[in-house]
Amino acid sequence: MKKLIFHLFMSMFLIIIVSACGSSSDLENKVVKENKKVDNEASHEAKPEKLIIWEEKGKAEALKPVIESFEKKYGIKVEYEELELANEMYDRLRRDGPIGNGKAPDVVTFSHEKVGQIVKEGLIQEVKVNDDVLNAFSESSIRGEMYQDKVFGLPKSVNTSVFIYNKKLMAKAPETMNDLYEMAKKLRKGKMYGYYAKWNDFHDAYGVMAGMGGYIFRDKNGNLDPSDIGLNNESAIKGATYIQKWYQADLIPTGDKSAIEKMFSQGNLASFLSDGNSFSERTDIGIAPLPELSNGQPMKTLLEIKGWHVTAFTKHPYWSTKLVEYMTNDDHAMQRYEKTGEIPPNKSIKHNAAFNENENAQALSIQLQYAEPVPNIPEMNKVWGPMNSAMDEISTEKANPKRALDKAVKTIKKDL
């Protein structure tokens, strides 16, 4: 099941961004007003002989045709290097950037979760683009690339969690978590389970807690306030208590990712929560938005965004920005999808007939409108550890939810 969740349903998942692609929000309007006529202001920058890109390892094949096209159009050579997206790229940029030895890149790719941290460290710079460029993307994807009211990258892909089920074991996806709970109880026997979510991990558990009314940091006029934490409020505790209920009833199997995938492949697991990179070629597999919670609200899954960023060390910020714009335009975003299966956040997808004609895609489009970008401020780094520990204690019934969450938030505030 190595390729569980990939080609067949990846195309249908592209449509998920449509629901988040309405008219520009006040947030976007505030940004674009500051970015008009950027070309006219910066076009005096001399054209460089070459630009350097650091790409995510294993994705160069998607980059090559775009580079060739850019080189032909602008007469600028583009070189690339593949690095591991997380630590390797970050460590190399911190090391090579300030040295100025010709090894530093002009453009890099990062998850939006790192934006606040790398901005504070002076590793990337604001991306100044025209309003029509920003308006080409879904609001949530641009919001994820913002820090302190400024845009620091253009998004190239989005991802969130969805509900995946075996049609042989579930005739259709349940509409509510109460329905799923009853199904799971009926299916539970021996090695057989009805549902799996990695709720002992905060990333997956947050969808329930947020749907109940919890939050990580309070959003105040588009800026996150790390002094206002809502992970142990009454609603968050209610969500965590609901999660514990599933474990107390022995309805959630244990095991690592490969073990869970094996259970699903062998028919010992009827459904599970997984991100958008986990679709199957099997025709007996269905995908749907996550079921509605008992309070009538949707699960607010976490949204991950990957973007292209202009480094603070480039000597060619205008042309580096041009390259970022070029790589993320509608045509090249679609080309990248065809090569990698990554979902682009470009609004133009809604005009693609192949996706609109897919009935399953209509169901999949729902989940993204409820997804929240993972907070990209540096303070988020202090949240994962305590909250993962809290959810582990809750899922193993070592602590009641209130006590575990109070302890976690106390630790977070102390660390901050």
Side-chain angles (χ1 to χ4, degrees):
M1 205 159 111
K2 185 177 181 181
K3 292 187 177 179
L4 176 68
I5 310 182
F6 191 65
H7 296 294
L8 178 62
F9 291 108
M10 282 302 290
S11 60
M12 62 175 78
F13 191 60
L14 276 173
I15 197 71
I16 65 174
I17 68 165
V18 174
S19 55
C21 295
S23 58
S24 297
S25 67
D26 292 338
L27 179 63
E28 285 179 303
N29 288 332
K30 178 168 62 174
V31 175
V32 300
K33 286 178 181 178
E34 301 173 356
N35 287 304
K36 290 184 177 181
K37 299 181 180 178
V38 172
D39 283 344
N40 292 333
E41 296 173 2
S43 59
H44 63 275
E45 179 183 291
K47 187 180 293 187
E49 291 185 7
K50 74 173 182 179
L51 295 171
I52 299 174
I53 298 176
W54 281 358
E55 168 66 291
E56 182 180 358
K57 187 161 287 187
K59 301 295 175 64
E61 285 302 313
L63 195 60
K64 289 176 183 178
V66 183
I67 286 177
E68 292 173 1
S69 177
F70 182 85
E71 290 176 334
K72 183 176 181 180
K73 181 173 182 177
Y74 294 106
I76 301 173
K77 182 175 177 57
V78 180
E79 296 180 354
Y80 71 88
E81 183 176 357
E82 289 184 294
L83 291 85
E84 293 293 343
L85 183 62
N87 295 333
E88 184 181 14
M89 195 169 300
Y90 172 65
D91 293 341
R92 281 275 304 275
L93 187 59
R94 295 179 74 200
R95 183 186 71 208
D96 293 344
I99 295 176
N101 57 3
K103 294 183 179 180
D106 300 284
V107 174
V108 293
T109 184
F110 279 109
S111 166
H112 84 278
E113 298 174 47
K114 273 193 172 291
V115 167
Q117 182 66 38
I118 57 182
V119 168
K120 289 189 70 173
E121 292 188 31
L123 301 180
I124 61 173
Q125 61 182 279
E126 180 184 1
V127 172
K128 297 181 179 180
V129 294
N130 292 319
D131 56 356
D132 61 328
V133 174
L134 293 181
N135 286 332
F137 304 98
S138 65
E139 177 189 337
S140 58
S141 65
I142 291 296
R143 184 153 47 96
E145 295 291 351
M146 292 181 66
Y147 182 66
Q148 297 181 342
D149 294 333
K150 295 180 179 180
V151 177
F152 286 91
L154 294 184
K156 66 176 182 177
S157 66
V158 291
N159 198 6
T160 195
S161 299
V162 289
F163 182 80
I164 298 166
Y165 63 103
N166 185 330
K167 292 180 180 179
K168 293 181 179 179
L169 299 173
M170 285 185 178
K172 63 178 182 177
E175 294 184 2
T176 71
M177 287 301 295
N178 287 340
D179 293 337
L180 179 59
Y181 187 82
E182 293 304 317
M183 288 183 186
K185 285 201 301 183
K186 291 179 180 178
L187 287 168
R188 180 73 185 97
K189 185 177 181 181
K191 295 181 179 180
M192 182 67 196
Y193 287 84
Y195 181 63
Y196 172 80
K198 196 177 180 182
W199 282 336
N200 61 335
D201 185 276
F202 176 60
H203 183 279
D204 283 4
Y206 181 71
V208 178
M209 297 168 70
M212 293 289 190
Y215 57 90
I216 301 175
F217 301 126
R218 177 73 73 184
D219 189 324
K220 296 183 178 178
N221 299 318
N223 291 306
L224 297 175
D225 181 2
S227 67
D228 189 342
I229 301 173
L231 293 174
N232 66 331
N233 63 18
E234 184 177 348
S235 297
I237 293 170
K238 184 177 180 180
T241 301
Y242 178 76
I243 286 173
Q244 191 177 67
K245 171 185 173 181
W246 282 72
Y247 286 93
Q248 289 174 335
D250 187 29
L251 296 180
I252 302 292
T254 58
D256 58 18
K257 182 179 179 181
S258 61
I260 297 301
E261 288 182 346
K262 184 177 181 180
M263 286 181 64
F264 187 76
S265 179
Q266 294 178 342
N268 290 322
L269 178 64
S271 64
F272 65 104
L273 177 151
S274 185
D275 63 41
N277 288 327
S278 302
F279 301 151
S280 174
E281 297 177 356
R282 288 166 46 183
T283 58
D284 60 341
I285 303 302
I287 179 172
L290 290 164
E292 189 178 271
L293 292 165
S294 58
N295 63 350
Q297 296 299 310
M299 284 200 202
K300 295 184 178 180
T301 51
L302 287 172
L303 173 67
E304 284 81 34
I305 305 154
K306 291 179 184 177
W308 290 112
H309 307 271
V310 176
T311 72
F313 313 106
T314 180
K315 296 179 181 179
H316 316 288
Y318 172 77
W319 287 105
S320 296
T321 301
K322 268 293 185 188
L323 177 56
V324 169
E325 285 184 38
Y326 195 76
M327 291 190 293
T328 57
N329 70 30
D330 292 344
D331 290 340
H332 296 135
M334 290 302 149
Q335 286 181 19
R336 186 177 183 88
Y337 161 72
E338 291 171 0
K339 294 282 187 179
T340 67
E342 293 178 308
I343 293 87
N346 301 57
K347 293 178 181 179
S348 63
I349 290 175
K350 65 183 178 181
H351 302 302
N352 189 301
F355 303 130
N356 289 332
E357 291 171 0
N358 191 313
E359 293 182 4
N360 289 331
Q362 301 306 313
L364 300 181
S365 68
I366 298 171
Q367 188 61 43
L368 190 63
Q369 67 182 309
Y370 306 122
E372 298 180 0
V374 178
N376 65 4
I377 59 177
E379 289 84 353
M380 185 62 193
N381 293 327
K382 304 297 184 181
V383 173
W384 295 113
M387 285 303 298
N388 283 337
S389 296
M391 294 315 303
D392 183 65
E393 291 182 354
I394 290 168
S395 64
T396 56
E397 304 174 52
K398 294 179 180 178
N400 69 52
K402 184 179 188 307
R403 185 165 71 246
L405 294 179
D406 284 345
K407 177 183 175 182
V409 171
K410 182 179 180 180
T411 300
I412 294 168
K413 291 181 175 180
K414 180 181 177 181
D415 290 345
L416 290 177

